[in-house]
Amino acid sequence: MISGAPASGKGTQCEMIVQKFGVVHISTGDLLRAEVSAGTEIGNKAKEYMNSGRLVPDEIVTAMVTARLSLKDAKEKGWLLDGYPRSSAQAESLEKLNIRPDIYIMLDVPDEILIDRCVGRRIDPLTGRIYHVNNFPPDNDEIKARLVTRSDDTEDKVKSRLQIYKQNAEAVLSTYSGVLNKIDGNRPKEVIFKELDSLLTRLQIDKDEASISGLVSSYFTWIFFEGFKYHPTLHFWASFVFSDNIFSSKKLLLICRYLLSSHFQSFGLQKNWRGIPTRLNNIPHSREIRKYFYEDVLQATQRAIRDGKTRLKVEINIPELNPEMDVYRIGTLMELIRNLALSFADDGKRVKGSMGEGSLAGMPLQLAGTRKILEFMDWGDDGAMGNFVKIGSIGGDEVDDQDDMFILVAPQNAVGNCIIDDLRAMTDAAGDRPVILVNPRLKDLPGSSGIMQTMGRDKRLEYAASFEICYHFRLLYYAGTQYPIMGALRMSHPYAYELYKRVDDESPKKEKYVMLTTFAERPSGDEINDSFEGKSR
Ligand code: AP5
């Protein structure tokens, strides 16, 4: 569904969405205008309302929309509803019919711009294309000569349409708050479309993936009940599963994982993503929360490496991993590293985990001496530690020919000790093998001797910036506090930065987050504040 004030650009974006995604565009404004120009009974009733900028009675519009939605093309290709529902009664009608959108886009444009857009709008009656006398004039005089102005596009009527929109918008928005995406509509139409394109592509991927995982599970069932009989490779699976006459659930899981991962890899899909966890200020975090983040970081990192990225940065600032908080759990960081390393080792990669050696080399104070913890952790019975996973320090000499990738734990510049030269030596030696920095702090700190600020500073900063963020998670608090959480910012390669706002349920009281908007680039503090305050970007 797409919504927004009159002239916020719904029709313009719909043209581009339909072209790219092939969904059926259902615009109540267009349907009503067609009825009016055909002089039908509905058209005659609607005309008076439309000309005065008022809403056409709900029963007329709702009957029209539901009839259109039930047609074959809308069912097969999917639909894009534009300008409906426009009142709480209309939203309720759809809810009763169980008709819900996958996503609700709201185009946000300041009032003064809307009036100019309406007054300057022109329509090509032949193609239905939308133009604007200044913003988007037609290419040639032939089109220009046949353009028409909509009868409700006078300044007075626009003002009244705007007022009616504002009276109803909140009620409709609240129905769809769970799938709401507010988009800044006061930018060039191509820029807006780029953001919509990324949101819709992701949605499509998630939907495809859900149907593929359905397919995979039926395929899997088929393997067990039918497939053994016919397929040679399935005989291999069969003998693998049943060789020791024990129907091992571990083996079953292994096959399931293999099938799913090979399917997902070949389709380039992301596993269904469930939204961000709640109760993040409760420390220690529950096992589920920790597992959620390990998996989230792993998926982003795997996708980035699959996309050929070799200099990566993971920034994860949940309270348990944030040294600024009162309680900071080193075990969680170590567990995250173990998960990453073992998962890559599972894929046959030889992973070197590097930490600073000695008291301060490349390691935050809080982590000094924790390398031993990593060494003593449970690395499984399969001999991964020592064979596939090795622990070393940061530096060029640490890179061996057989290492496939490197995970560097929280490398940090310290006063009087700049890690960057060791890091650079290491990445130079690593060549095109992936190097992943987890929670690095490579800011240029002043050394007691004052040397660090001057010598090669620009080059060092440039080098530190050359690592691409593949995962970012940060909780947002009111300035100067660390409680309560007001939202979160998440980015998982290759998707956009997602801004979440906390909107708790009142009864029963429940912590809840909704996605407010997305950003192609990492947003500034001001951009985040503006979004929270509902201001246009
Ligand atoms: P409807 O046709 O839906 O009108 P609307 O909601 O007022 O929206 P518009 O069509 O005016 O604007 P738009 O957002 O599509 O903007 P556009 O892309 O054209 O409804 C008309 C009437 O029908 C209503 O008043 C009501 O009476 C009735 N009705 C409809 N649905 C109803 C319902 N559910 N219930 C009851 N009654 C209903 O762009 C506008 C202009 O801006 C164009 O000139 C365009 O070129 C320009 N522009 C677009 N994007 C940009 C950009 N990014 N930068 C600069 N200019 C831009």
Side-chain angles (χ1 to χ4, degrees), residues 220-262:
F220 191 52
T221 317
W222 178 83
I223 287 176
F224 273 91
F225 297 108
E226 285 295 319
F228 292 141
K229 293 187 248 169
Y230 311 114
H231 203 294
T233 56
L234 297 178
H235 281 299
F236 163 72
W237 286 115
S239 55
F240 175 63
V241 174
F242 297 114
S243 57
D244 45 10
N245 285 332
I246 298 169
F247 193 81
S248 148
S249 58
K250 209 170 164 188
K251 283 177 186 169
L252 198 64
L253 277 174
L254 206 74
I255 298 176
C256 224
R257 213 170 104 185
Y258 169 82
L259 284 174
L260 282 167
S261 66
S262 58

mmCIF file of all heavy atoms in Angstrom, residues 220-262:
data_model
loop_
_atom_site.group_PDB
_atom_site.id
_atom_site.type_symbol
_atom_site.label_atom_id
_atom_site.label_comp_id
_atom_site.label_asym_id
_atom_site.label_seq_id
_atom_site.Cartn_x
_atom_site.Cartn_y
_atom_site.Cartn_z
ATOM 1 N N PHE A 220 12.338 -32.279 0.908
ATOM 2 C CA PHE A 220 13.000 -33.077 1.916
ATOM 3 C C PHE A 220 12.119 -34.256 2.339
ATOM 4 O O PHE A 220 12.562 -35.386 2.457
ATOM 5 C CB PHE A 220 13.292 -32.159 3.092
ATOM 6 C CG PHE A 220 14.200 -32.766 4.101
ATOM 7 C CD1 PHE A 220 15.408 -33.309 3.718
ATOM 8 C CD2 PHE A 220 13.843 -32.784 5.433
ATOM 9 C CE1 PHE A 220 16.244 -33.876 4.648
ATOM 10 C CE2 PHE A 220 14.678 -33.349 6.362
ATOM 11 C CZ PHE A 220 15.872 -33.895 5.978
ATOM 12 N N THR A 221 10.834 -33.964 2.527
ATOM 13 C CA THR A 221 9.901 -35.027 2.888
ATOM 14 C C THR A 221 9.881 -36.065 1.778
ATOM 15 O O THR A 221 9.906 -37.266 2.009
ATOM 16 C CB THR A 221 8.478 -34.448 3.038
ATOM 17 O OG1 THR A 221 8.584 -33.240 3.750
ATOM 18 C CG2 THR A 221 7.559 -35.408 3.747
ATOM 19 N N TRP A 222 9.887 -35.569 0.537
ATOM 20 C CA TRP A 222 9.865 -36.456 -0.623
ATOM 21 C C TRP A 222 11.088 -37.367 -0.622
ATOM 22 O O TRP A 222 10.986 -38.560 -0.864
ATOM 23 C CB TRP A 222 9.809 -35.600 -1.888
ATOM 24 C CG TRP A 222 9.818 -36.399 -3.149
ATOM 25 C CD1 TRP A 222 8.764 -36.991 -3.763
ATOM 26 C CD2 TRP A 222 10.962 -36.687 -3.959
ATOM 27 N NE1 TRP A 222 9.166 -37.632 -4.897
ATOM 28 C CE2 TRP A 222 10.513 -37.462 -5.046
ATOM 29 C CE3 TRP A 222 12.317 -36.379 -3.870
ATOM 30 C CZ2 TRP A 222 11.368 -37.913 -6.034
ATOM 31 C CZ3 TRP A 222 13.170 -36.833 -4.846
ATOM 32 C CH2 TRP A 222 12.692 -37.582 -5.917
ATOM 33 N N ILE A 223 12.263 -36.783 -0.274
ATOM 34 C CA ILE A 223 13.482 -37.593 -0.242
ATOM 35 C C ILE A 223 13.276 -38.787 0.671
ATOM 36 O O ILE A 223 13.575 -39.922 0.338
ATOM 37 C CB ILE A 223 14.675 -36.772 0.294
ATOM 38 C CG1 ILE A 223 15.110 -35.774 -0.729
ATOM 39 C CG2 ILE A 223 15.837 -37.679 0.664
ATOM 40 C CD1 ILE A 223 16.207 -34.875 -0.231
ATOM 41 N N PHE A 224 12.714 -38.512 1.841
ATOM 42 C CA PHE A 224 12.613 -39.599 2.794
ATOM 43 C C PHE A 224 11.571 -40.641 2.433
ATOM 44 O O PHE A 224 11.744 -41.807 2.699
ATOM 45 C CB PHE A 224 12.355 -39.026 4.202
ATOM 46 C CG PHE A 224 13.652 -38.706 4.834
ATOM 47 C CD1 PHE A 224 14.201 -37.444 4.690
ATOM 48 C CD2 PHE A 224 14.392 -39.688 5.469
ATOM 49 C CE1 PHE A 224 15.441 -37.165 5.208
ATOM 50 C CE2 PHE A 224 15.630 -39.402 5.983
ATOM 51 C CZ PHE A 224 16.154 -38.136 5.855
ATOM 52 N N PHE A 225 10.500 -40.186 1.822
ATOM 53 C CA PHE A 225 9.441 -41.163 1.591
ATOM 54 C C PHE A 225 9.400 -41.723 0.181
ATOM 55 O O PHE A 225 8.868 -42.785 -0.038
ATOM 56 C CB PHE A 225 8.093 -40.546 1.989
ATOM 57 C CG PHE A 225 8.080 -40.231 3.453
ATOM 58 C CD1 PHE A 225 8.146 -38.926 3.898
ATOM 59 C CD2 PHE A 225 8.097 -41.260 4.384
ATOM 60 C CE1 PHE A 225 8.175 -38.647 5.248
ATOM 61 C CE2 PHE A 225 8.126 -40.975 5.739
ATOM 62 C CZ PHE A 225 8.170 -39.675 6.172
ATOM 63 N N GLU A 226 9.950 -40.997 -0.764
ATOM 64 C CA GLU A 226 9.879 -41.457 -2.148
ATOM 65 C C GLU A 226 11.261 -41.533 -2.801
ATOM 66 O O GLU A 226 11.607 -42.486 -3.472
ATOM 67 C CB GLU A 226 9.024 -40.485 -2.985
ATOM 68 C CG GLU A 226 7.525 -40.594 -2.736
ATOM 69 C CD GLU A 226 6.976 -41.937 -3.160
ATOM 70 O OE1 GLU A 226 7.398 -42.435 -4.224
ATOM 71 O OE2 GLU A 226 6.152 -42.507 -2.427
ATOM 72 N N GLY A 227 12.032 -40.465 -2.559
ATOM 73 C CA GLY A 227 13.246 -40.237 -3.324
ATOM 74 C C GLY A 227 14.265 -41.359 -3.280
ATOM 75 O O GLY A 227 14.959 -41.620 -4.261
ATOM 76 N N PHE A 228 14.356 -42.046 -2.169
ATOM 77 C CA PHE A 228 15.368 -43.089 -2.049
ATOM 78 C C PHE A 228 15.289 -44.098 -3.188
ATOM 79 O O PHE A 228 16.273 -44.647 -3.625
ATOM 80 C CB PHE A 228 15.182 -43.842 -0.730
ATOM 81 C CG PHE A 228 15.493 -43.001 0.462
ATOM 82 C CD1 PHE A 228 14.722 -43.090 1.609
ATOM 83 C CD2 PHE A 228 16.552 -42.113 0.451
ATOM 84 C CE1 PHE A 228 15.009 -42.314 2.720
ATOM 85 C CE2 PHE A 228 16.844 -41.338 1.558
ATOM 86 C CZ PHE A 228 16.062 -41.436 2.686
ATOM 87 N N LYS A 229 14.060 -44.319 -3.627
ATOM 88 C CA LYS A 229 13.858 -45.369 -4.631
ATOM 89 C C LYS A 229 14.495 -45.015 -5.975
ATOM 90 O O LYS A 229 14.879 -45.872 -6.717
ATOM 91 C CB LYS A 229 12.352 -45.566 -4.843
ATOM 92 C CG LYS A 229 11.652 -46.143 -3.646
ATOM 93 C CD LYS A 229 10.202 -46.453 -4.001
ATOM 94 C CE LYS A 229 9.280 -45.520 -3.248
ATOM 95 N NZ LYS A 229 7.918 -45.513 -3.655
ATOM 96 N N TYR A 230 14.500 -43.719 -6.310
ATOM 97 C CA TYR A 230 14.830 -43.355 -7.682
ATOM 98 C C TYR A 230 16.211 -42.763 -7.913
ATOM 99 O O TYR A 230 16.806 -42.930 -8.940
ATOM 100 C CB TYR A 230 13.815 -42.324 -8.206
ATOM 101 C CG TYR A 230 12.384 -42.718 -7.952
ATOM 102 C CD1 TYR A 230 11.599 -41.989 -7.089
ATOM 103 C CD2 TYR A 230 11.844 -43.842 -8.587
ATOM 104 C CE1 TYR A 230 10.283 -42.347 -6.855
ATOM 105 C CE2 TYR A 230 10.528 -44.198 -8.350
ATOM 106 C CZ TYR A 230 9.745 -43.457 -7.483
ATOM 107 O OH TYR A 230 8.473 -43.807 -7.262
ATOM 108 N N HIS A 231 16.696 -42.001 -6.994
ATOM 109 C CA HIS A 231 17.794 -41.120 -7.307
ATOM 110 C C HIS A 231 19.115 -41.640 -6.756
ATOM 111 O O HIS A 231 19.220 -41.920 -5.558
ATOM 112 C CB HIS A 231 17.474 -39.749 -6.689
ATOM 113 C CG HIS A 231 18.201 -38.630 -7.350
ATOM 114 N ND1 HIS A 231 19.556 -38.510 -7.299
ATOM 115 C CD2 HIS A 231 17.755 -37.589 -8.078
ATOM 116 C CE1 HIS A 231 19.915 -37.435 -7.960
ATOM 117 N NE2 HIS A 231 18.843 -36.858 -8.442
ATOM 118 N N PRO A 232 20.176 -41.773 -7.600
ATOM 119 C CA PRO A 232 21.423 -42.336 -7.090
ATOM 120 C C PRO A 232 22.013 -41.530 -5.930
ATOM 121 O O PRO A 232 22.468 -42.110 -4.940
ATOM 122 C CB PRO A 232 22.356 -42.312 -8.296
ATOM 123 C CG PRO A 232 21.671 -41.565 -9.370
ATOM 124 C CD PRO A 232 20.238 -41.439 -9.018
ATOM 125 N N THR A 233 22.024 -40.189 -6.034
ATOM 126 C CA THR A 233 22.652 -39.432 -4.935
ATOM 127 C C THR A 233 21.813 -39.570 -3.667
ATOM 128 O O THR A 233 22.326 -39.515 -2.560
ATOM 129 C CB THR A 233 22.791 -37.937 -5.267
ATOM 130 O OG1 THR A 233 21.517 -37.449 -5.597
ATOM 131 C CG2 THR A 233 23.772 -37.685 -6.367
ATOM 132 N N LEU A 234 20.527 -39.793 -3.868
ATOM 133 C CA LEU A 234 19.680 -39.964 -2.692
ATOM 134 C C LEU A 234 19.981 -41.294 -2.004
ATOM 135 O O LEU A 234 19.847 -41.418 -0.806
ATOM 136 C CB LEU A 234 18.209 -39.861 -3.071
ATOM 137 C CG LEU A 234 17.817 -38.501 -3.636
ATOM 138 C CD1 LEU A 234 16.360 -38.478 -4.028
ATOM 139 C CD2 LEU A 234 18.094 -37.397 -2.626
ATOM 140 N N HIS A 235 20.438 -42.255 -2.786
ATOM 141 C CA HIS A 235 20.849 -43.510 -2.165
ATOM 142 C C HIS A 235 22.027 -43.264 -1.241
ATOM 143 O O HIS A 235 22.141 -43.853 -0.191
ATOM 144 C CB HIS A 235 21.248 -44.541 -3.239
ATOM 145 C CG HIS A 235 20.058 -45.179 -3.849
ATOM 146 N ND1 HIS A 235 19.158 -45.913 -3.117
ATOM 147 C CD2 HIS A 235 19.593 -45.189 -5.116
ATOM 148 C CE1 HIS A 235 18.195 -46.344 -3.897
ATOM 149 N NE2 HIS A 235 18.425 -45.905 -5.122
ATOM 150 N N PHE A 236 22.891 -42.338 -1.688
ATOM 151 C CA PHE A 236 24.031 -41.999 -0.841
ATOM 152 C C PHE A 236 23.528 -41.415 0.487
ATOM 153 O O PHE A 236 23.942 -41.804 1.556
ATOM 154 C CB PHE A 236 24.946 -40.997 -1.553
ATOM 155 C CG PHE A 236 25.885 -40.309 -0.630
ATOM 156 C CD1 PHE A 236 26.952 -41.007 -0.080
ATOM 157 C CD2 PHE A 236 25.700 -38.982 -0.275
ATOM 158 C CE1 PHE A 236 27.816 -40.375 0.804
ATOM 159 C CE2 PHE A 236 26.541 -38.358 0.605
ATOM 160 C CZ PHE A 236 27.606 -39.052 1.142
ATOM 161 N N TRP A 237 22.587 -40.482 0.368
ATOM 162 C CA TRP A 237 22.033 -39.894 1.588
ATOM 163 C C TRP A 237 21.397 -40.979 2.448
ATOM 164 O O TRP A 237 21.550 -41.016 3.649
ATOM 165 C CB TRP A 237 20.977 -38.838 1.243
ATOM 166 C CG TRP A 237 21.556 -37.568 0.718
ATOM 167 C CD1 TRP A 237 21.402 -37.051 -0.532
ATOM 168 C CD2 TRP A 237 22.386 -36.654 1.423
ATOM 169 N NE1 TRP A 237 22.081 -35.875 -0.643
ATOM 170 C CE2 TRP A 237 22.704 -35.600 0.537
ATOM 171 C CE3 TRP A 237 22.920 -36.624 2.716
ATOM 172 C CZ2 TRP A 237 23.497 -34.535 0.900
ATOM 173 C CZ3 TRP A 237 23.708 -35.552 3.072
ATOM 174 C CH2 TRP A 237 23.999 -34.526 2.166
ATOM 175 N N ALA A 238 20.675 -41.858 1.767
ATOM 176 C CA ALA A 238 19.971 -42.901 2.513
ATOM 177 C C ALA A 238 20.960 -43.750 3.284
ATOM 178 O O ALA A 238 20.790 -43.998 4.464
ATOM 179 C CB ALA A 238 19.173 -43.758 1.551
ATOM 180 N N SER A 239 22.060 -44.155 2.610
ATOM 181 C CA SER A 239 22.992 -45.016 3.330
ATOM 182 C C SER A 239 23.699 -44.227 4.419
ATOM 183 O O SER A 239 24.038 -44.761 5.462
ATOM 184 C CB SER A 239 23.985 -45.640 2.362
ATOM 185 O OG SER A 239 24.614 -44.615 1.652
ATOM 186 N N PHE A 240 23.874 -42.928 4.176
ATOM 187 C CA PHE A 240 24.507 -42.089 5.198
ATOM 188 C C PHE A 240 23.633 -42.026 6.454
ATOM 189 O O PHE A 240 24.087 -42.186 7.562
ATOM 190 C CB PHE A 240 24.718 -40.694 4.603
ATOM 191 C CG PHE A 240 25.256 -39.691 5.568
ATOM 192 C CD1 PHE A 240 26.502 -39.861 6.143
ATOM 193 C CD2 PHE A 240 24.525 -38.562 5.890
ATOM 194 C CE1 PHE A 240 27.004 -38.918 7.023
ATOM 195 C CE2 PHE A 240 25.020 -37.625 6.760
ATOM 196 C CZ PHE A 240 26.260 -37.807 7.332
ATOM 197 N N VAL A 241 22.350 -41.846 6.218
ATOM 198 C CA VAL A 241 21.439 -41.714 7.359
ATOM 199 C C VAL A 241 21.277 -43.029 8.103
ATOM 200 O O VAL A 241 21.276 -43.077 9.316
ATOM 201 C CB VAL A 241 20.060 -41.192 6.886
ATOM 202 C CG1 VAL A 241 19.071 -41.204 8.039
ATOM 203 C CG2 VAL A 241 20.206 -39.793 6.350
ATOM 204 N N PHE A 242 21.160 -44.097 7.330
ATOM 205 C CA PHE A 242 20.807 -45.352 7.973
ATOM 206 C C PHE A 242 21.992 -46.307 8.173
ATOM 207 O O PHE A 242 21.813 -47.423 8.620
ATOM 208 C CB PHE A 242 19.722 -46.064 7.168
ATOM 209 C CG PHE A 242 18.449 -45.269 7.111
ATOM 210 C CD1 PHE A 242 17.983 -44.748 5.919
ATOM 211 C CD2 PHE A 242 17.731 -45.017 8.276
ATOM 212 C CE1 PHE A 242 16.819 -44.004 5.882
ATOM 213 C CE2 PHE A 242 16.557 -44.271 8.239
ATOM 214 C CZ PHE A 242 16.102 -43.759 7.041
ATOM 215 N N SER A 243 23.238 -45.873 7.793
ATOM 216 C CA SER A 243 24.365 -46.799 7.795
ATOM 217 C C SER A 243 24.561 -47.484 9.152
ATOM 218 O O SER A 243 24.844 -48.658 9.217
ATOM 219 C CB SER A 243 25.637 -46.076 7.392
ATOM 220 O OG SER A 243 25.818 -45.005 8.276
ATOM 221 N N ASP A 244 24.393 -46.710 10.249
ATOM 222 C CA ASP A 244 24.612 -47.367 11.534
ATOM 223 C C ASP A 244 23.284 -47.780 12.175
ATOM 224 O O ASP A 244 23.196 -47.971 13.374
ATOM 225 C CB ASP A 244 25.400 -46.443 12.464
ATOM 226 C CG ASP A 244 24.856 -45.040 12.438
ATOM 227 O OD1 ASP A 244 23.772 -44.843 11.858
ATOM 228 O OD2 ASP A 244 25.503 -44.151 12.994
ATOM 229 N N ASN A 245 22.291 -47.907 11.301
ATOM 230 C CA ASN A 245 20.972 -48.341 11.742
ATOM 231 C C ASN A 245 20.352 -47.443 12.805
ATOM 232 O O ASN A 245 19.451 -47.818 13.515
ATOM 233 C CB ASN A 245 20.989 -49.778 12.268
ATOM 234 C CG ASN A 245 21.081 -50.730 11.111
ATOM 235 O OD1 ASN A 245 20.631 -50.395 10.011
ATOM 236 N ND2 ASN A 245 21.685 -51.874 11.330
ATOM 237 N N ILE A 246 20.921 -46.280 12.934
ATOM 238 C CA ILE A 246 20.331 -45.355 13.903
ATOM 239 C C ILE A 246 19.854 -44.143 13.126
ATOM 240 O O ILE A 246 20.607 -43.563 12.345
ATOM 241 C CB ILE A 246 21.361 -44.902 14.956
ATOM 242 C CG1 ILE A 246 21.833 -46.110 15.743
ATOM 243 C CG2 ILE A 246 20.769 -43.857 15.883
ATOM 244 C CD1 ILE A 246 23.027 -45.826 16.609
ATOM 245 N N PHE A 247 18.638 -43.799 13.305
ATOM 246 C CA PHE A 247 18.118 -42.641 12.610
ATOM 247 C C PHE A 247 18.552 -41.410 13.396
ATOM 248 O O PHE A 247 17.873 -40.950 14.301
ATOM 249 C CB PHE A 247 16.585 -42.736 12.538
ATOM 250 C CG PHE A 247 16.014 -41.760 11.587
ATOM 251 C CD1 PHE A 247 16.004 -42.019 10.231
ATOM 252 C CD2 PHE A 247 15.510 -40.548 12.057
ATOM 253 C CE1 PHE A 247 15.483 -41.106 9.357
ATOM 254 C CE2 PHE A 247 14.989 -39.636 11.171
ATOM 255 C CZ PHE A 247 14.968 -39.912 9.816
ATOM 256 N N SER A 248 19.767 -40.957 13.095
ATOM 257 C CA SER A 248 20.360 -39.921 13.915
ATOM 258 C C SER A 248 19.796 -38.541 13.598
ATOM 259 O O SER A 248 19.809 -38.098 12.459
ATOM 260 C CB SER A 248 21.871 -39.935 13.677
ATOM 261 O OG SER A 248 22.386 -38.660 13.792
ATOM 262 N N SER A 249 19.295 -37.893 14.618
ATOM 263 C CA SER A 249 18.699 -36.574 14.381
ATOM 264 C C SER A 249 19.783 -35.574 13.990
ATOM 265 O O SER A 249 19.539 -34.617 13.270
ATOM 266 C CB SER A 249 17.966 -36.091 15.614
ATOM 267 O OG SER A 249 18.855 -36.038 16.683
ATOM 268 N N LYS A 250 21.026 -35.824 14.447
ATOM 269 C CA LYS A 250 22.119 -34.912 14.102
ATOM 270 C C LYS A 250 22.375 -34.973 12.587
ATOM 271 O O LYS A 250 22.541 -33.954 11.926
ATOM 272 C CB LYS A 250 23.380 -35.314 14.856
ATOM 273 C CG LYS A 250 24.300 -34.145 15.128
ATOM 274 C CD LYS A 250 25.398 -34.529 16.073
ATOM 275 C CE LYS A 250 26.493 -33.495 16.031
ATOM 276 N NZ LYS A 250 27.656 -33.919 16.773
ATOM 277 N N LYS A 251 22.349 -36.217 12.056
ATOM 278 C CA LYS A 251 22.564 -36.370 10.620
ATOM 279 C C LYS A 251 21.427 -35.738 9.837
ATOM 280 O O LYS A 251 21.618 -35.100 8.807
ATOM 281 C CB LYS A 251 22.675 -37.857 10.264
ATOM 282 C CG LYS A 251 24.011 -38.445 10.630
ATOM 283 C CD LYS A 251 24.027 -39.901 10.320
ATOM 284 C CE LYS A 251 25.323 -40.534 10.816
ATOM 285 N NZ LYS A 251 25.255 -41.973 10.752
ATOM 286 N N LEU A 252 20.231 -35.921 10.377
ATOM 287 C CA LEU A 252 19.055 -35.355 9.722
ATOM 288 C C LEU A 252 19.210 -33.836 9.614
ATOM 289 O O LEU A 252 19.007 -33.227 8.565
ATOM 290 C CB LEU A 252 17.837 -35.699 10.573
ATOM 291 C CG LEU A 252 16.483 -35.584 9.910
ATOM 292 C CD1 LEU A 252 16.420 -36.590 8.776
ATOM 293 C CD2 LEU A 252 15.388 -35.882 10.916
ATOM 294 N N LEU A 253 19.641 -33.268 10.735
ATOM 295 C CA LEU A 253 19.822 -31.814 10.754
ATOM 296 C C LEU A 253 20.901 -31.376 9.768
ATOM 297 O O LEU A 253 20.787 -30.357 9.085
ATOM 298 C CB LEU A 253 20.236 -31.358 12.150
ATOM 299 C CG LEU A 253 19.073 -31.162 13.106
ATOM 300 C CD1 LEU A 253 19.586 -30.856 14.497
ATOM 301 C CD2 LEU A 253 18.209 -30.006 12.619
ATOM 302 N N LEU A 254 21.957 -32.196 9.704
ATOM 303 C CA LEU A 254 23.069 -31.886 8.814
ATOM 304 C C LEU A 254 22.598 -31.828 7.365
ATOM 305 O O LEU A 254 22.923 -30.906 6.609
ATOM 306 C CB LEU A 254 24.108 -32.999 8.964
ATOM 307 C CG LEU A 254 25.538 -32.623 8.655
ATOM 308 C CD1 LEU A 254 26.065 -31.781 9.789
ATOM 309 C CD2 LEU A 254 26.378 -33.890 8.512
ATOM 310 N N ILE A 255 21.788 -32.821 6.994
ATOM 311 C CA ILE A 255 21.287 -32.862 5.620
ATOM 312 C C ILE A 255 20.380 -31.665 5.373
ATOM 313 O O ILE A 255 20.455 -30.977 4.359
ATOM 314 C CB ILE A 255 20.492 -34.163 5.359
ATOM 315 C CG1 ILE A 255 21.422 -35.361 5.540
ATOM 316 C CG2 ILE A 255 19.903 -34.169 3.972
ATOM 317 C CD1 ILE A 255 20.723 -36.681 5.404
ATOM 318 N N CYS A 256 19.516 -31.395 6.344
ATOM 319 C CA CYS A 256 18.585 -30.279 6.220
ATOM 320 C C CYS A 256 19.361 -28.989 5.993
ATOM 321 O O CYS A 256 19.055 -28.198 5.107
ATOM 322 C CB CYS A 256 17.827 -30.162 7.532
ATOM 323 S SG CYS A 256 16.112 -29.902 7.307
ATOM 324 N N ARG A 257 20.406 -28.807 6.814
ATOM 325 C CA ARG A 257 21.202 -27.595 6.714
ATOM 326 C C ARG A 257 21.887 -27.511 5.360
ATOM 327 O O ARG A 257 21.944 -26.468 4.745
ATOM 328 C CB ARG A 257 22.254 -27.603 7.822
ATOM 329 C CG ARG A 257 22.551 -26.204 8.305
ATOM 330 C CD ARG A 257 23.378 -26.246 9.537
ATOM 331 N NE ARG A 257 24.745 -25.895 9.195
ATOM 332 C CZ ARG A 257 25.719 -25.934 10.062
ATOM 333 N NH1 ARG A 257 25.512 -26.308 11.286
ATOM 334 N NH2 ARG A 257 26.931 -25.595 9.703
ATOM 335 N N TYR A 258 22.396 -28.671 4.911
ATOM 336 C CA TYR A 258 23.071 -28.701 3.619
ATOM 337 C C TYR A 258 22.109 -28.284 2.504
ATOM 338 O O TYR A 258 22.401 -27.433 1.679
ATOM 339 C CB TYR A 258 23.619 -30.107 3.346
ATOM 340 C CG TYR A 258 24.097 -30.276 1.930
ATOM 341 C CD1 TYR A 258 25.363 -29.824 1.562
ATOM 342 C CD2 TYR A 258 23.283 -30.826 0.955
ATOM 343 C CE1 TYR A 258 25.789 -29.940 0.258
ATOM 344 C CE2 TYR A 258 23.699 -30.943 -0.345
ATOM 345 C CZ TYR A 258 24.961 -30.498 -0.692
ATOM 346 O OH TYR A 258 25.382 -30.602 -1.971
ATOM 347 N N LEU A 259 20.926 -28.926 2.531
ATOM 348 C CA LEU A 259 19.956 -28.629 1.469
ATOM 349 C C LEU A 259 19.561 -27.164 1.492
ATOM 350 O O LEU A 259 19.550 -26.473 0.485
ATOM 351 C CB LEU A 259 18.691 -29.477 1.659
ATOM 352 C CG LEU A 259 18.805 -30.940 1.262
ATOM 353 C CD1 LEU A 259 17.548 -31.673 1.641
ATOM 354 C CD2 LEU A 259 19.037 -31.039 -0.243
ATOM 355 N N LEU A 260 19.245 -26.678 2.713
ATOM 356 C CA LEU A 260 18.815 -25.285 2.812
ATOM 357 C C LEU A 260 19.916 -24.343 2.376
ATOM 358 O O LEU A 260 19.698 -23.450 1.574
ATOM 359 C CB LEU A 260 18.416 -24.957 4.253
ATOM 360 C CG LEU A 260 17.035 -25.475 4.644
ATOM 361 C CD1 LEU A 260 16.850 -25.386 6.147
ATOM 362 C CD2 LEU A 260 15.956 -24.663 3.959
ATOM 363 N N SER A 261 21.149 -24.581 2.886
ATOM 364 C CA SER A 261 22.202 -23.623 2.564
ATOM 365 C C SER A 261 22.534 -23.651 1.084
ATOM 366 O O SER A 261 22.752 -22.620 0.472
ATOM 367 C CB SER A 261 23.447 -23.834 3.412
ATOM 368 O OG SER A 261 24.004 -25.059 3.065
ATOM 369 N N SER A 262 22.505 -24.850 0.454
ATOM 370 C CA SER A 262 22.837 -24.848 -0.972
ATOM 371 C C SER A 262 21.735 -24.161 -1.762
ATOM 372 O O SER A 262 21.998 -23.431 -2.695
ATOM 373 C CB SER A 262 23.097 -26.253 -1.487
ATOM 374 O OG SER A 262 21.967 -27.042 -1.254
#
